[in-house]
Amino acid sequence: MTTASSSPSRRTDAAPGHGIDRSQPITITFGGQKYDAFAGDSLASALIAGGNLQTANSMYLDRPRGILAAGVEEPNGLVTVKARSEDDIDETMLPVTSVEATDGLEAFYVSGQGALDPTPDPALYDRKHMHADVLIVGAGPAGLAAARAALQGEARVVLIDKENRPGGSLLSSRTAQIDGTDGAQWAADTIAELSENPDFTYLSRTTAFGNYDSNYVIALQHRTDHLEPKHREGVSRQRVWHIRADQVVLAPGAMERPIVFSTNDRPGVMLAGAARTYTNRYGALPGQKIAVFTTNDSAYEAALDLHAAGAEIVALVDSRATASAAATAAAERTGAELSLSSAVIGTNASVMGDRLATVSISELDADGALTGETRTVDADLLAVSGGFSPTVHLHTHRQGTTTWNTEIAGFVPNDDVTGEHCAGALTGDFSTQGALDTGTRAGAAALAAAAANAGFDPGSGSGDAKAPSAQVADEAPLCGAEVKPLWLVPSATGSTDDSFVDLQRDQAVSDIERAYGAGMTNIEHIKRYTSIGTANDQGKTSGVNAMAVLAHMIGEEDLGAVGVSGYRPPFTALPFAALAGRERGDLFDPARVTAIQPWHLEAGCEFEDVGQWKRPWFFAKDGEDMHQAVQRESKAVRDSVGYMDGTTLGKIEIRGQDAAEFVNRFYTNGFKLLKVGKGRYGVMCGVDGMIMDDGVTMRIADDRFLMTTTSSGAATVFDWLEEWHQTEWPELDVTLTSVTEQYSTITVAGPKSRDVIAKVVPGLDVSNEAFAFMEFQDAELSNGVPARICRISFSGELSFEINVDAFYGLSAWKLVEEAGAEFDITPYGTETMHVLRAEKGLIIVGQDTDGTVTPDDAGLGWAVSTKKKHFIGKRSLEREDSQRPDRKQLVSVMSVDKKTVLPEGAQLIAKDADPTPKKGSVQDPVTPSNGQVHSYGFVTSSYMSPNLGRPFGLALIESGREREGEIMKSLVNGELVEVEIGPLCLFDPEGKRRDG
């Protein structure tokens, strides 16, 4: 196949091309140049097949760079992919190796960082939750073997893999066979066979990016980018999977490490395993004249495969002193010279470009120093292998520990994570048969453990599961011969400025030397001083090398003693759009509305946001502003009757034999002896003794309570109850259910409320004698709707609350409207409610409290039981500081001129404060320029009251109750206003209006 680019095609038919479909040619455009490709190509393989191996220059030093890897560990090649359709946006900072080539794809390289597309993303993103008995991460030979074993019983098995097809390392092998079948074909056949089992789920293109407590794995699936546009409609572009598994099998494989030497960042320096992958998986030969530099046997597999695909192997450079069988065989079959005890010490580019043209080779003495003459070899590709690092990231996400394995020169996971089973290269066994064996054992062990925990039949797979048999010609796994890592190849010039450790951050050995010279000896400190491992690739190719260079500097041979830098989620970069899912736009913070919302809208109601609720704020008539509407509503409630939508109050049902004990532990006052059919106001404190919420709780039955909370605090209180139940008092028999949205609540308040309720609930005796304050009764409305009627008041007026199923909320509201028409019943909103409650000195938690207010500070000392042995916050309330007489206490405040409305937050200062104190004056200053200003407190709520005939407010003031009648001052709009301190309750202090 010919390429549309100007470079000669590197596509070869001599390699198997396991990952591409040669019958489906496609065309992509990269950097304005067209390239021919096949379905199944990655963007990187398509470029390499087109002769383009060079990426954008490095971000900081502007050095030429090239594709190094073939997977998510790629540090150099970051691209921007142009919008795939009119309903798409540009995506940037994507590894060129992770983008699937599709017909018509357009992309270009970016140098270290890209620009976000400001266009709104119209694509659909979603999330899905799943439970599994056994979750397997990785669909290479180990993961597939684990899935086969785990499905021998009745387990629900989920297999996720970041690749677009199963097989893992088998896709990169030229000769692998499993049970006599080509390895790649065996992988495809295995998935097809397993998929016939309804208990099996296979998720391709799905990367597990986080592994959390109790085997909670989160993964990102790419669902549509590889599809033709006509097949994308209605399908989420990406999906975040939340998977809770009983057992997890980790089989993510291992990542090859580069070698640190001078000019190791040249375009044309590539990991040997990557060169093999591009050749065998994609049929793209990355070079014609290839030198191989290795510390282990694995690179010789790559050398033989590249040679078989038509490349000339010009040199085999091995750090080891003795030739292994694999090295000898590779030298004989390729005809290349084998240089032992040697290293590549530098590279050079061609005169006409930046790509590799020659490599310089030198021998090493027993101490690793350069010796002998340097020779130069012409090569357009240098395939390097510094060993492999098992991909321990997901294991360490769970705080799993690792051990340095000297045989493979890599960290391997310890068996210290509950419910986790490791398999394949992750365990340090890099052979194909080892992957099949460890995978089978891990799958069988996971099945047995899951069956024991869940009580299902493990079948025959938990004991004697047989692993498939692998036959791989020329296989040379790391565990088969000596590994001699070269952590730092000496430079012929003595400079380490161009011996790169982290290619994406442009960090070289010299940067680590500077950090070490500054006193840094901890790898975490080195990482932050140099920024190694903090870029888009998160140090996947640089982490271990950086540790090894540090170990060399401090004279430590055991890398385990240096320690491994911590790996944190996410394993790979992921878009915020995927995390947001559907929670964007209107769904980012969804507005909650009550069943009565249509009536409110029709009535021209203005709303305020309380938590997520849209609460009616005020109902303005034609020509009215907010102030006029609130004054009218407040007067109507006090003089006749009003009604309010109180649905948004939090409602939590608490059931169980220990419900009374449970409720009693949260409130400062007693609830254990509360009778069925009664309610009680309660104050809830945090462990610090400060008010966190309040509300009325009713006892529905001996083992059932209905707790009400503030509208904005409902979720917080529910979480608070659950936290104590689950972590501190799990022995209590209680069940908690949020029922806020299950009920519509209508408050009817005012002197005429009894008359309205009598008409709405004709069968209910609403007299004081039959229906006392803080009681409730189940009844039936005049329209046949069942309801719970409560005598509760947040206004100080005679008041009733009607609670009905939310489905009937609107009809019940209209019923009240109709029944109250003869009394000119008035709908009122939250602003009027605030005026009415403040006139009575009733608090709003979060407005009149700020996390430093005790019940006594708020005038609620009467609600703190002196008989209870325990409630949350009791010990803190008994502290000396909580009982200081000079604490800020809630009182009323009124401007002496009876016309100034004090702004909420206004500070209260001494009455003798003078804005311009005379020299030698002892008067308190007003402005900081004249000395420190002492604030005695501040206004928490402030309103104009038509019922008091003047403005008033509530304020937290030092020793406030002792200051009743005292005059203070407040700075309002640049002028000092005199303010009188009054009692907390200003309206009907005797409480006569409560009972009508």
Side-chain angles (χ1 to χ4, degrees):
M1 181 180 180
T2 59
T3 179
S5 71
S6 57
S7 301
S9 173
R10 295 293 179 88
R11 192 72 74 176
T12 175
D13 293 330
H18 294 305
I20 58 174
D21 185 348
R22 288 185 168 93
S23 68
Q24 294 189 43
I26 59 175
T27 301
I28 65 169
T29 301
F30 192 88
Q33 182 74 50
K34 290 189 179 298
Y35 291 82
D36 292 333
F38 292 116
D41 262 319
S42 70
L43 183 53
S45 68
L47 294 175
I48 288 172
N52 185 356
L53 186 141
Q54 189 165 342
T55 66
N57 285 4
S58 67
M59 180 178 178
Y60 300 105
L61 301 179
D62 196 34
R63 291 175 66 91
R65 292 281 163 81
I67 295 173
L68 176 77
V72 297
E73 68 272 28
E74 169 58 36
N76 294 326
L78 295 176
V79 300
T80 292
V81 175
K82 300 291 288 182
R84 293 172 169 86
S85 66
E86 294 180 356
D87 297 326
D88 197 4
I89 63 168
D90 296 353
E91 284 187 284
T92 193
M93 297 292 286
L94 303 179
V96 66
T97 51
S98 299
V99 178
E100 284 192 56
T102 56
D103 197 31
L105 182 77
E106 295 184 48
F108 57 88
Y109 277 123
V110 294
S111 178
Q113 62 183 4
L116 292 176
D117 188 341
T119 308
D121 185 355
L124 175 65
Y125 300 85
D126 65 8
R127 69 167 60 94
K128 193 168 183 177
H129 293 259
M130 177 188 290
H131 288 80
D133 295 309
V134 178
L135 169 66
I136 302 165
V137 180
L144 292 171
R148 284 165 52 101
L151 276 172
Q152 296 301 308
E154 298 177 354
R156 291 173 298 174
V157 177
V158 177
L159 173 63
I160 63 176
D161 186 53
K162 66 181 184 297
E163 302 296 333
N164 61 0
R165 64 192 62 212
S169 61
L170 299 176
L171 299 176
S172 301
S173 175
R174 176 173 55 91
T175 61
Q177 289 193 333
I178 310 296
D179 287 342
T181 302
D182 172 76
Q185 186 61 50
W186 174 85
D189 293 345
T190 299
I191 286 295
E193 177 187 346
L194 297 178
S195 296
E196 295 179 0
N197 189 323
D199 287 329
F200 177 71
T201 300
Y202 168 58
L203 300 175
S204 62
R205 300 180 176 88
T206 304
T207 302
F209 63 81
N211 187 14
Y212 303 91
D213 289 348
S214 301
N215 289 332
Y216 185 56
V217 177
I218 307 181
L220 177 69
Q221 181 183 27
H222 294 264
R223 306 184 71 213
T224 62
D225 288 346
H226 62 288
L227 301 176
E228 295 181 21
K230 64 182 179 181
H231 297 309
R232 298 173 188 166
E233 188 174 352
V235 180
S236 60
R237 182 180 190 180
Q238 294 172 358
R239 171 174 288 170
V240 175
W241 287 91
H242 294 251
I243 308 171
R244 177 76 73 182
D246 187 279
Q247 304 291 307
V248 171
V249 176
L250 295 181
M255 295 182 186
E256 195 166 18
R257 296 190 298 265
I259 302 176
V260 179
F261 60 91
S262 177
T263 61
N264 62 336
D265 63 331
R266 183 91 58 196
V269 177
M270 180 180 286
L271 295 174
R276 186 176 183 226
T277 294
Y278 287 120
T279 301
N280 291 329
R281 178 170 177 173
Y282 300 109
L285 195 59
Q288 295 292 337
K289 300 181 68 175
I290 301 175
V292 177
F293 178 23
T294 185
T295 65
N296 59 85
D297 271 358
S298 69
Y300 295 116
E301 290 183 85
L304 291 172
D305 288 352
L306 292 166
H307 177 69
E312 178 186 358
I313 307 301
V314 297
L316 297 172
V317 183
D318 198 319
S319 64
R320 298 171 295 182
T322 303
S324 66
T328 301
E332 291 177 352
R333 291 169 58 180
T334 63
E337 180 179 350
L338 175 62
S339 301
L340 298 173
S341 295
S342 299
V344 172
I345 63 171
T347 64
N348 283 292
S350 64
V351 177
M352 302 300 293
D354 299 318
R355 181 163 175 170
L356 177 75
T358 65
V359 298
S360 299
I361 303 169
S362 175
E363 292 185 13
L364 303 174
D365 63 20
D367 296 324
L370 303 182
T371 184
E373 294 185 1
T374 300
R375 67 187 179 95
T376 301
V377 176
D378 292 339
D380 61 1
L381 188 82
L382 175 61
V384 301
S385 178
F388 287 79
S389 295
T391 308
V392 299
H393 300 65
L394 293 176
H395 170 74
T396 59
H397 288 181
R398 290 283 310 278
Q399 305 302 308
T401 59
T402 59
T403 297
W404 180 253
N405 184 320
T406 56
E407 289 187 7
I408 66 166
F411 287 99
V412 295
N414 294 320
D415 184 15
D416 55 3
V417 176
T418 302
E420 178 187 279
H421 311 265
C422 298
L426 178 60
T427 68
D429 189 335
F430 295 96
S431 68
T432 303
Q433 189 61 56
L436 296 170
D437 291 341
T438 57
T440 300
R441 289 195 296 269
L447 170 62
N453 291 338
F456 61 79
D457 181 9
S460 60
S462 61
D464 56 355
K466 183 179 180 182
S469 176
Q471 305 86 37
V472 187
D474 304 324
E475 185 172 40
L478 261 66
C479 47
E482 175 196 9
V483 175
K484 184 179 180 181
L486 272 179
W487 300 122
L488 176 58
V489 176
S491 170
T493 64
S495 171
T496 57
D497 287 343
D498 59 0
S499 296
F500 285 93
V501 177
D502 189 322
L503 295 171
Q504 197 166 126
R505 286 297 193 200
D506 270 339
Q507 295 293 296
V509 172
S510 57
D511 296 292
I512 300 179
E513 290 172 340
R514 273 191 292 274
Y516 179 66
M520 309 289 176
T521 58
N522 183 288
I523 188 60
E524 294 291 353
H525 296 162
I526 295 288
K527 176 179 177 179
R528 285 153 180 82
Y529 190 93
T530 63
S531 77
I532 288 175
T534 64
N536 188 73
D537 65 336
Q538 288 291 286
K540 290 181 177 63
T541 58
S542 62
V544 172
N545 283 348
M547 284 181 269
V549 171
L550 175 62
H552 175 76
M553 292 177 182
I554 64 178
E556 177 60 66
E557 295 183 1
D558 180 13
L559 259 65
V562 176
V564 61
S565 178
Y567 297 113
R568 303 173 184 88
F571 172 62
T572 55
L574 63 158
F576 283 112
L579 293 177
R582 296 175 184 267
E583 296 171 3
R584 298 185 296 163
D586 291 339
L587 296 179
F588 173 68
D589 189 19
R592 302 169 73 182
V593 298
T594 73
I596 310 169
Q597 178 81 354
W599 191 97
H600 299 326
L601 291 172
E602 188 175 343
C605 172
E606 291 290 335
F607 297 91
E608 71 167 335
D609 295 329
V610 181
Q612 290 181 315
W613 287 102
K614 292 291 185 183
R615 291 203 69 178
W617 192 11
F618 61 91
F619 295 83
K621 292 186 176 181
D622 290 343
E624 284 185 338
D625 58 18
M626 175 180 167
H627 171 74
Q628 293 167 329
V630 171
Q631 297 297 292
R632 173 180 52 78
E633 292 172 8
S634 301
K635 195 67 174 169
V637 173
R638 294 291 189 208
D639 292 347
S640 180
V641 63
Y643 63 136
M644 183 186 75
D645 185 354
T647 301
T648 64
L649 283 179
K651 308 173 192 70
I652 302 170
E653 191 169 280
I654 303 168
R655 292 174 288 118
Q657 294 300 314
D658 297 316
E661 173 65 25
F662 185 76
V663 171
N664 198 57
R665 294 183 184 184
F666 285 93
Y667 285 123
T668 60
N669 46 341
F671 278 80
K672 286 186 72 172
L673 301 180
L674 183 66
K675 295 181 179 179
V676 174
K678 298 280 189 178
R680 181 169 295 163
Y681 172 80
V683 179
M684 190 178 294
C685 292
V687 293
D688 57 0
M690 305 302 154
I691 296 174
M692 65 171 289
D693 207 82
D694 69 341
V696 174
T697 293
M698 296 173 285
R699 191 166 196 168
I700 311 301
D702 287 339
D703 60 351
R704 183 181 174 197
F705 288 77
L706 182 65
M707 176 186 289
T708 64
T709 73
T710 56
S711 296
S712 59
T716 300
V717 172
F718 188 83
D719 285 347
W720 183 243
L721 300 182
E722 281 284 9
E723 179 181 346
W724 282 86
H725 179 218
Q726 294 184 30
T727 64
E728 303 297 329
W729 308 320
E731 75 280 1
L732 295 184
D733 175 24
V734 290
T735 300
L736 310 175
T737 306
S738 173
V739 293
T740 299
E741 293 178 322
Q742 275 58 51
Y743 295 103
S744 286
T745 301
I746 303 166
T747 300
V748 183
K752 299 295 184 180
S753 60
R754 180 175 282 125
D755 299 312
V756 175
I757 294 297
K759 295 175 67 176
V760 173
V761 195
L764 182 65
D765 185 349
V766 293
S767 65
N768 282 326
E769 295 75 20
F771 202 161
F773 182 64
M774 284 294 182
E775 289 185 351
F776 68 88
Q777 297 187 37
D778 291 338
E780 187 175 284
L781 305 185
S782 61
N783 60 2
V785 172
R788 177 175 295 141
I789 314 299
C790 311
R791 275 282 315 271
I792 299 172
S793 179
F794 194 50
S795 61
E797 294 294 328
L798 175 66
S799 178
F800 297 83
E801 286 186 2
I802 303 171
N803 293 274
V804 298
D805 188 294
F807 182 82
Y808 301 109
L810 183 56
S811 63
W813 178 268
K814 292 180 178 179
L815 193 65
V816 172
E817 177 186 25
E818 181 181 344
E822 66 174 288
F823 308 107
D824 195 23
I825 192 169
T826 301
Y828 67 96
T830 54
E831 191 65 20
T832 293
M833 176 193 72
H834 288 183
V835 174
L836 300 175
R837 63 89 196 172
E839 291 172 346
K840 292 292 296 180
L842 304 177
I843 67 168
I844 295 275
V845 175
Q847 178 164 334
D848 301 304
T849 67
D850 63 357
T852 67
V853 178
T854 69
D856 185 68
D857 296 340
L860 297 170
W862 58 268
V864 180
S865 172
T866 58
K867 298 180 181 179
K868 291 177 66 173
K869 293 183 179 180
H870 173 75
F871 58 81
I872 295 175
K874 177 178 174 64
R875 185 171 60 179
S876 295
L877 289 176
E878 293 172 347
R879 293 168 53 240
E880 182 179 345
D881 184 74
S882 299
Q883 300 177 19
R884 292 191 343 260
D886 63 341
R887 289 184 61 85
K888 288 186 173 69
Q889 297 168 344
L890 196 66
V891 292
S892 67
V893 288
M894 297 161 286
S895 56
V896 174
D897 63 14
K898 297 185 178 182
K899 63 180 181 180
T900 301
V901 178
L902 301 173
E904 293 177 354
Q907 302 296 307
L908 295 161
I909 58 179
K911 63 181 178 181
D912 59 353
D914 189 334
T916 56
K918 298 177 177 60
K919 185 176 181 180
S921 171
V922 296
Q923 294 174 320
D924 286 348
V926 175
T927 57
S929 61
N930 293 320
Q932 184 176 357
V933 180
H934 180 73
S935 171
Y936 290 85
F938 57 93
V939 177
T940 61
S941 300
S942 184
Y943 310 99
M944 178 65 196
S945 170
N947 305 302
L948 297 174
R950 63 181 299 171
F952 80 105
L954 302 180
L956 284 167
I957 300 176
E958 293 175 9
S959 306
R961 289 192 287 271
E962 295 180 3
R963 298 179 183 273
E964 288 186 17
E966 185 176 321
I967 302 298
M968 305 189 82
K969 287 183 179 179
S970 182
L971 197 62
V972 180
N973 295 326
E975 296 185 4
L976 286 175
V977 174
E978 291 189 333
V979 179
E980 180 182 354
I981 310 303
L984 186 55
C985 178
L986 294 175
F987 186 84
D988 185 31
E990 300 83 8
K992 295 179 180 180
R993 299 174 68 94
R994 187 196 72 184
D995 294 326

